[in-house]
């Protein structure tokens, strides 16, 4: 049986960049390179940039503390594709849950050129070196950037719920920031679609409005379905 994701609130994050080698990436280098070469033939837009993965974490007094290493996207993608086998790391990232004035959540359908094509996500992304500020990994910064890039919306226009709703699903840790809008789902839907239409290579192919539990879709990853089910149940 696959354990049910756990959900809890944390008040803050204290995450640092403490680089070291990732044994998985080193030991499986040839297989990773072969996998990514084949993936690039299928999805040429994929770029083997740099990403950050958490390798040490603890929650103390309502604060998630941890340390990240840096690796290449090819290694990260292979680890995901191979089912996230035990490798001494966790995929810990920030996500923006847009909550509209009429009580709906807005999510994006990943474009066909992306690694997670067709899946339905909150605006989010694996942290990268641009999120390192004075030796700290800033997931607030990551969330602001992903929100702007994917939807065209600026976090300054939202009321930001304090703290983070954290969902742990095996080696995945999603720190979800709830953003309350003064606009309705339909208005925001239109604004985001206008942004997507203006982009030559938009990361998102479409937007989904989720108004109630029956709108939860199997194309959503487990951390999102667990979060949405909890919120609609009053959690």
């Amino acid at each position: 049986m696959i354990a049910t994701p756990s959900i809890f609130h944390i008040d803050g994050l204290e995450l640092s960049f403490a680089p070291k080698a990732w044994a998985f990436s080193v030991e499986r280098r040839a297989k990773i390179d072969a996998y990514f070469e084949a993936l690039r033939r299928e999805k040429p837009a994929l770029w083997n940039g740099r990403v950050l993965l958490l390798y040490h974490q603890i929650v103390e007094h309502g604060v998630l503390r941890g340390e990240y290493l840096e690796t290449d996207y090819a290694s990260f993608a292979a680890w995901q594709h191979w089912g996230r086998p035990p490798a001494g790391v966790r995929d810990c990232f920030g996500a923006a849950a847009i909550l509209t004035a009429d009580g709906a959540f807005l999510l994006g359908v990943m474009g066909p050129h992306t690694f997670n094509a067709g899946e339905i996500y909150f605006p989010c992304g694996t942290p990268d070196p641009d999120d390192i500020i004075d030796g700290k990994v800033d997931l607030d910064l990551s969330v602001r950037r992903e929100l702007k890039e994917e939807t065209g919306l600026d976090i300054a226009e939202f009321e930001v719920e304090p703290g983070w709703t954290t969902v742990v699903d095996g080696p995945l840790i999603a720190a979800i920031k709830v953003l309350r809008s003064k606009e309705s789902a339909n208005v925001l839907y239109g604004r985001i679609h206008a942004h997507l239409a203006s982009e030559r290579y938009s990361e998102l192919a479409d937007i989904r409005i989720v108004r109630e539990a029956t709108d939860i879709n199997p194309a959503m990853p487990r951390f999102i379905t667990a979060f949405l089910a909890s919120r609609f149940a009053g959690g």
Side-chain angles (χ1 to χ4, degrees):
M1 294 289 291
I2 299 176
T4 302
S6 60
I7 305 175
F8 53 93
H9 178 86
I10 57 173
D11 298 321
L13 306 171
E14 292 184 7
L15 306 169
S16 62
F17 179 54
K20 69 171 189 174
W22 185 24
F24 175 90
S25 178
V26 175
E27 295 166 1
R28 305 196 187 189
R29 188 75 260 161
K31 290 184 178 180
I32 290 168
D33 289 343
Y35 162 76
F36 198 69
E37 182 180 350
L39 185 62
R40 284 288 305 274
R41 287 196 291 270
E42 179 185 346
K43 300 178 184 291
L46 289 179
W47 176 58
N48 191 18
R50 308 297 294 178
V51 295
L52 306 178
L53 296 176
L54 196 68
Y55 67 85
H56 175 262
Q57 67 283 325
I58 188 171
V59 176
E60 293 180 321
H61 308 297
V63 177
L64 172 62
R65 296 181 171 88
E67 296 173 314
Y68 282 85
L69 57 78
E70 180 181 343
T71 190
D72 62 309
Y73 182 78
S75 295
F76 172 61
W79 179 64
Q80 283 189 294
H81 180 76
W82 296 335
R84 297 190 181 97
V89 297
R90 296 211 181 199
D91 178 14
C92 180
F93 57 93
I98 301 172
L99 179 57
T100 69
D102 47 345
F105 287 96
L106 296 188
L107 294 89
V109 181
M110 301 302 295
H113 60 287
T114 66
F115 180 77
N116 297 312
E119 295 189 26
I120 302 173
Y121 276 83
F122 292 132
C124 63
T126 306
D128 63 41
D130 287 341
D131 299 316
I132 302 171
I133 306 296
D134 296 328
K136 302 296 182 181
V137 178
D138 189 341
L139 292 192
D140 282 287
L141 175 61
S142 179
V143 167
R144 290 197 300 272
R145 183 185 68 245
E146 296 294 338
L147 177 71
K148 188 70 173 180
E149 289 179 356
E150 294 183 19
T151 69
L153 304 177
D154 194 306
I155 200 169
E157 68 183 79
F158 294 91
E159 178 188 346
V160 180
E161 284 193 3
W164 304 78
T165 300
T166 304
V167 183
V168 178
D169 186 12
L172 182 151
I173 303 175
I176 300 173
K177 181 66 73 174
V178 178
L179 309 178
R180 293 180 173 270
S181 176
K182 296 179 181 179
E183 297 183 313
S184 70
N186 288 341
V187 169
L188 285 175
Y189 179 92
R191 289 179 60 194
I192 297 171
H193 259 282
H195 169 74
L196 301 184
S198 71
E199 295 273 291
R200 185 176 181 184
Y201 296 110
S202 174
E203 192 168 347
L204 303 181
D206 202 355
I207 299 298
R208 293 286 184 267
I209 299 175
V210 179
R211 299 185 184 276
E212 56 189 19
T214 56
D215 294 328
I216 294 175
N217 190 301
M220 299 171 186
R222 277 164 42 102
F223 81 89
I224 288 179
T225 61
F227 170 86
L228 290 173
S230 175
R231 294 290 294 211
F232 288 130

